[in-house]
C-alpha cells in the first residue's frame, strides 16, 4: 500500500538528497525510500554498541587483517559519497559520533570531487581507528574511478593516530595495495573455510610434531623420490610471478628465506647482504650435500654463483660475482658460426686458457660447463632456425661440436633413448689433475646443452667415463 504525504524540505535537506535524486533519475520518492532504508540499517548498526565492551574489542581484534565484504561496505558507507571528500568526511565523523566511538577523522586531498592524492588521518583508540582506517581505505579503493583508482601508498601508525596515504594508480596495484596493508588474512581465512578438514589436519600435524613436518611442492617431492636434486623453483616462481631468471638477487634471497622456512626444509635462514646461511638439524651427510647442491643450483639458475660450505648444523653460501664475471668473459668467446670463426681453431681453446685463471676451479667447473653448453646450443639454434629440440636435431648439433673438437664419437638412436659414445678425446690427457678438471667441465657442458634442449624432462645415465680409467665414455639420454 502506498501512502501519500506532504512534507516540507529546506534547501540544505534538498542539497543532501542530491546524489540520491540523481541516482534515481529525479525520482524524489525513490530517493527518499532509499534514504529511509539506509537510515534503518544505520540504526541497527548503532544498536551494536549494546554489545559488551570486551566482546566488541574482541570482535575488532578478530577481524584484524580482514577486509569488509563489499555488500556490507556499501551498507556502511554510501557509495555516492565518493563524489565529495568533504561530505564523506562530515558523514563519517557524524556516524562515529552517533556510535560513540570517540574518534576524529580528517580527509585531506588535492581535489574534492576527483582527488589524485588523499591523506586519511584518524585519531582515537587504537583498535577502533585501525578498523576505521581499513574500512575507509577499502571504500576509497573500491569506489574511486575505474580508469584511475586510488592505491594505498603508505600506512603510518603511532600512539592514538593512524595515517593512510593514497594516490592515483591502476586497478591491479590498487587492489594489491589493499591486501598488502589491510587484507593480509583474507586469503588465509578464505582457504581455511574452503577446506577446513584439510587445514585442520595440516595444522594438527605441525603442532603435534613441534613443527618438524616438511611441506613441499609435489614436483620437489617427485624429484626426491627419483633420486634427483630438487630445486624448488616452481614455488619461488609462483610467489614471484615471474621466471627465475628475471628475479633480482635481493628478492631471490628473500623468497628463499620465505619458502625454505615456511616449508620447514630448513629451521632458519639468515641473509647477510648477498650471502646466506641455512640452519638445519639434518644428521645424514648425504642429505646435507643434496640440500647444499639444491640451493647452489637454484641460485645458479637465477644467474648467480655461490661458494657453499657446510658444517654440522648449517650451510654457508658466499656470493662469488668474480667467478661469474670470468665465466661471462669465457662464454662470450664461444662461437660456432662458419662466418665468424675459423673452424680449425677449437672453440674451447678460449675456455681452456681462461680456466687456469679462474679462482676455485672445482667450484667454477660445474657452472662454467653448463653455461657453455647452453651458449653453444643457443648459437646453433639461431644459426639453424631450430624451434623444437628433439633427439635427432640434438644429435646433429653435438656431432658438429664433436667434429670441431676433433673428438671421435658415435651415436645410436633407439626410440626415445640416445646412446652417446666417445671413443677418443684429444682434450683430456690421462694422468693430469688439470685435465681431469677439464674433463669434468666438458661433461657439464654436455649436461648444460641437454638441459637447454629438454629442460628437466630428459634423464642422463652415465655408463662409463674416460677419466675413470675406462677406454671410452658412454652416456644414455632418455626423453619422455
Amino acid at each position: 500500500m502506498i501512502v501519500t504525504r506532504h512534507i516540507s524540505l529546506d534547501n540544505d535537506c534538498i542539497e543532501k538528497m542530491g546524489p540520491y535524486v540523481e541516482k534515481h533519475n529525479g525520482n524524489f520518492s525513490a530517493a527518499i525510500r532509499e534514504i529511509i532504508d539506509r537510515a534503518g540499517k544505520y540504526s541497527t548498526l548503532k544498536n551494536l554498541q549494546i554489545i559488551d565492551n570486551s566482546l566488541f574489542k574482541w570482535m575488532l581484534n578478530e577481524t584484524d587483517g580482514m577486509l569488509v565484504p563489499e555488500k556490507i561496505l556499501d551498507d556502511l558507507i554510501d557509495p555516492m559519497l565518493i563524489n565529495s571528500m568533504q561530505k564523506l568526511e562530515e558523514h563519517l565523523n557524524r556516524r562515529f559520533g552517533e556510535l560513540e566511538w570517540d574518534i576524529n577523522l580528517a580527509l585531506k586531498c588535492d581535489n574534492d570531487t576527483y582527488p589524485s592524492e588523499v591523506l586519511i588521518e584518524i585519531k582515537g583508540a587504537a583498535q577502533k581507528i585501525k578498523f576505521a582506517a581499513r574500512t575507509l581505505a577499502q571504500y576509497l579503493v573500491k569506489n574511486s574511478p575505474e580508469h584511475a583508482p586510488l592505491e594505498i601508498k603508505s600506512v603510518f601508525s603511532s600512539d592514538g593516530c593512524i595515517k593512510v596515504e593514497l594516490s592515483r594508480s591502476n586497478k591491479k596495484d590498487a587492489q594489491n595495495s589493499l591486501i598488502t596493508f589491510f587484507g593480509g588474512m583474507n586469503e588465509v581465512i578464505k582457504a581455511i573455510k574452503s577446506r577446513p578438514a584439510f587445514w585442520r589436519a595440516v595444522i594438527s600435524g605441525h603442532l603435534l610434531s613441534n613443527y618438524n613436518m616438511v611441506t613441499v611442492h609435489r614436483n620437489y617431492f617427485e624429484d626426491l623420490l627419483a633420486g634427483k636434486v630438487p630445486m624448488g623453483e616452481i614455488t619461488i616462481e609462483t610467489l614471484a610471478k615471474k621466471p627465475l631468471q628475471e628475479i633480482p638477487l635481493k628478492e631471490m634471497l628473500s623468497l628463499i628465506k620465505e619458502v625454505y622456512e615456511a616449508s620447514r626444509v630448513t629451521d632458519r635462514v639468515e641473509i647477510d647482504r648477498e650471502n646466506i646461511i641455512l640452519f638445519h638439524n639434518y644428521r645424514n651427510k648425504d642429505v646435507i650435500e643434496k640440500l647444499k647442491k639444491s640451493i647452489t643450483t637454484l641460485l645458479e639458475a637465477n644467474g648467480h654463483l655461490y661458494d657453499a660450505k657446510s658444517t654440522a648444523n648449517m650451510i654457508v653460501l658466499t656470493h662469488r660475482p668474480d667467478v661469474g664475471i670470468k665465466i661471462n668473459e669465457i662464454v662470450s668467446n664461444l662461437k660456432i658460426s662458419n662466418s665468424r670463426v675459423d673452424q680449425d681453431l677449437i672453440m674451447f681453446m678460449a675456455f681452456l686458457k681462461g680456466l687456469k685463471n679462474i679462482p676455485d676451479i672445482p667450484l667454477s667447473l660445474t657452472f662454467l660447463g653448463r653455461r657453455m653448453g647452453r651458449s653453444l646450443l643457443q648459437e646453433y639454434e639461431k644459426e639453424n632456425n631450430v624451434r623444437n629440440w628433439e633427439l635427432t636435431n640434438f644429435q646433429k648439433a653435438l656431432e658438429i661440436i664433436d667434429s670441431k673438437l676433433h673428438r671421435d664419437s658415435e651415436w645410436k638412436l633407439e626410440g626415445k633413448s640416445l646412446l652417446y659414445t666417445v671413443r677418443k678425446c684429444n682434450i683430456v690427457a690421462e694422468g693430469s689433475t688439470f685435465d681431469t678438471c677439464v674433463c669434468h667441465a666438458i661433461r657439464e657442458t654436455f649436461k648444460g646443452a641437454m638441459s637447454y634442449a629438454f629442460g628437466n624432462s630428459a634423464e642422463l645415465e652415465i655408463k662409463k667415463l674416460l677419466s675413470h680409467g675406462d677406454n671410452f665414455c658412454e652416456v644414455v639420454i632418455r626423453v619422455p
Side-chain angles (χ1 to χ4, degrees):
M1 181 179 68
I2 299 176
V3 179
T4 303
R5 293 284 189 271
H6 295 283
I7 60 173
S8 298
L9 298 173
D10 57 28
N11 289 333
D12 185 52
C13 291
I14 293 174
E15 184 182 344
K16 290 178 180 178
M17 287 179 59
Y20 297 94
V21 174
E22 184 179 344
K23 179 181 177 183
H24 292 283
N25 300 317
N27 189 326
F28 261 70
S29 297
I32 290 174
R33 282 196 296 272
E34 182 177 346
I35 293 170
I36 293 171
D37 181 57
R38 287 185 175 277
K41 291 176 180 177
Y42 288 144
S43 178
T44 302
L45 181 62
K46 183 178 178 181
N47 289 334
L48 289 176
Q49 278 300 102
I50 299 172
I51 297 175
D52 181 78
N53 191 48
S54 59
L55 178 60
F56 183 58
K57 288 182 179 180
W58 175 82
M59 290 171 64
L60 288 179
N61 278 333
E62 289 303 301
T63 58
D64 191 21
M66 296 174 60
L67 299 175
V68 176
E70 290 193 359
K71 188 178 182 305
I72 296 177
L73 182 64
D74 289 344
D75 290 339
L76 288 174
I77 310 174
D78 184 0
M80 300 301 294
L81 290 170
I82 194 69
N83 296 322
S84 171
M85 294 295 104
Q86 181 181 350
K87 290 180 180 179
L88 176 61
E89 177 188 318
E90 292 171 355
H91 168 79
L92 291 174
N93 278 321
R94 184 168 61 252
R95 290 300 302 137
F96 291 136
E98 292 171 355
L99 292 170
E100 299 178 359
W101 275 29
D102 193 27
I103 65 176
N104 180 265
L105 179 146
L107 274 175
K108 301 175 183 178
C109 56
D110 56 352
N111 186 286
D112 184 61
T113 57
Y114 187 69
S116 60
E117 294 183 349
V118 177
L119 173 64
I120 303 171
E121 185 173 346
I122 310 177
K123 297 179 180 179
Q127 292 171 311
K128 292 178 180 178
I129 63 173
K130 190 171 184 180
F131 176 81
R134 181 168 75 244
T135 305
L136 179 52
Q138 183 182 352
Y139 172 86
L140 291 172
V141 171
K142 174 182 178 293
N143 294 292
S144 52
E146 188 80 15
H147 63 279
L150 291 166
E151 175 191 353
I152 303 169
K153 293 296 186 179
S154 68
V155 176
F156 174 76
S157 183
S158 60
D159 187 24
C161 180
I162 187 168
K163 295 180 181 180
V164 183
E165 290 183 323
L166 303 96
S167 63
R168 293 287 177 199
S169 183
N170 58 74
K171 188 173 182 179
K172 182 180 177 181
D173 289 342
Q175 289 296 327
N176 288 341
S177 72
L178 202 54
I179 300 297
T180 300
F181 288 102
F182 291 116
M185 291 299 296
N186 252 38
E187 190 175 354
V188 175
I189 299 299
K190 184 178 179 181
I192 292 174
K193 286 184 176 180
S194 67
R195 301 181 68 179
F198 170 80
W199 287 109
R200 194 179 297 114
V202 171
I203 293 170
S204 177
H206 276 287
L207 291 174
L208 290 172
S209 68
N210 192 26
Y211 294 94
N212 279 314
M213 287 179 61
V214 176
T215 307
V216 295
H217 194 280
R218 187 185 297 270
N219 290 18
Y220 189 97
F221 183 63
E222 184 179 5
D223 284 345
L224 280 175
L225 293 181
K228 299 179 181 179
V229 178
M231 287 170 50
E233 73 278 13
I234 294 176
T235 305
I236 286 178
E237 286 181 337
T238 301
L239 288 172
K241 297 179 181 178
K242 51 190 165 187
L244 202 66
Q245 297 80 2
E246 296 179 11
I247 304 174
L249 180 58
K250 185 177 180 181
E251 182 183 353
M252 183 67 182
L253 296 181
S254 178
L255 286 168
I256 288 174
K257 176 179 174 64
E258 180 182 348
V259 170
Y260 274 59
E261 288 184 346
S263 65
R264 304 300 297 157
V265 169
T266 57
D267 296 331
R268 190 171 83 257
V269 176
E270 289 186 1
I271 299 171
D272 180 14
R273 296 182 182 178
E274 295 182 346
N275 302 325
I276 186 169
I277 304 174
L278 284 73
F279 293 87
H280 62 84
N281 59 7
Y282 298 116
R283 295 164 295 177
N284 188 296
K285 290 184 179 179
D286 291 339
V287 171
I288 297 171
E289 284 302 307
K290 277 194 174 183
L291 179 60
K292 182 169 72 174
K293 187 174 181 181
S294 173
I295 188 70
T296 53
T297 305
L298 179 64
L299 287 162
E300 179 214 344
N302 181 238
H304 300 278
L305 304 183
Y306 275 78
D307 184 9
K309 296 179 181 179
S310 56
T311 64
N313 66 341
M314 64 182 180
I315 297 171
V316 181
L317 297 158
T318 306
H319 191 208
R320 294 300 303 270
D322 54 328
V323 178
I325 292 170
K326 187 63 180 178
I327 289 175
N328 287 336
E329 291 175 359
I330 295 171
V331 170
S332 67
N333 292 327
L334 298 177
K335 308 292 183 182
I336 65 174
S337 171
N338 290 326
S339 62
R340 288 180 291 186
V341 180
D342 182 353
Q343 294 305 302
D344 290 332
L345 296 175
I346 299 176
M347 66 185 70
F348 284 152
M349 289 307 297
F351 152 60
L352 295 173
K353 292 176 182 178
L355 185 63
K356 298 177 182 179
N357 300 320
I358 298 180
D360 299 338
I361 286 177
L363 166 70
S364 310
L365 288 177
T366 297
F367 304 127
L368 179 54
R370 289 177 187 171
R371 287 281 304 279
M372 286 170 53
R374 289 198 294 269
S375 178
L376 288 169
L377 239 63
Q378 284 172 343
E379 286 288 338
Y380 181 89
E381 190 176 60
K382 292 176 184 176
E383 294 175 3
N384 295 275
N385 196 27
V386 176
R387 295 186 179 181
N388 295 307
W389 283 101
E390 298 175 350
L391 286 177
T392 50
N393 53 16
F394 181 75
Q395 173 187 340
K396 187 175 181 180
L398 267 292
E399 283 177 343
I400 293 173
I401 293 173
D402 276 353
S403 69
K404 294 167 185 173
L405 292 173
H406 303 291
R407 188 161 57 192
D408 296 336
S409 59
E410 299 172 0
W411 298 84
K412 186 177 181 181
L413 183 62
E414 295 180 353
K416 293 186 176 181
S417 296
L418 184 64
L419 178 65
Y420 172 50
T421 305
V422 178
R423 295 294 180 183
K424 183 180 179 182
C425 183
N426 292 329
I427 293 178
V428 179
E430 188 176 350
S432 168
T433 302
F434 173 71
D435 287 335
T436 300
C437 290
V438 174
C439 184
H440 176 80
I442 293 170
R443 288 201 305 274
E444 293 301 327
T445 300
F446 182 84
K447 291 179 182 178
M450 189 183 75
S451 175
Y452 178 79
F454 306 111
N456 295 326
S457 61
E459 293 183 5
L460 178 68
E461 179 186 351
I462 299 176
K463 291 183 172 290
K464 294 178 181 293
L465 292 175
L466 268 170
S467 59
H468 287 180
D470 294 310
N471 295 326
F472 57 91
C473 288
E474 190 172 80
V475 298
V476 179
I477 305 170
R478 297 186 181 90
V479 295

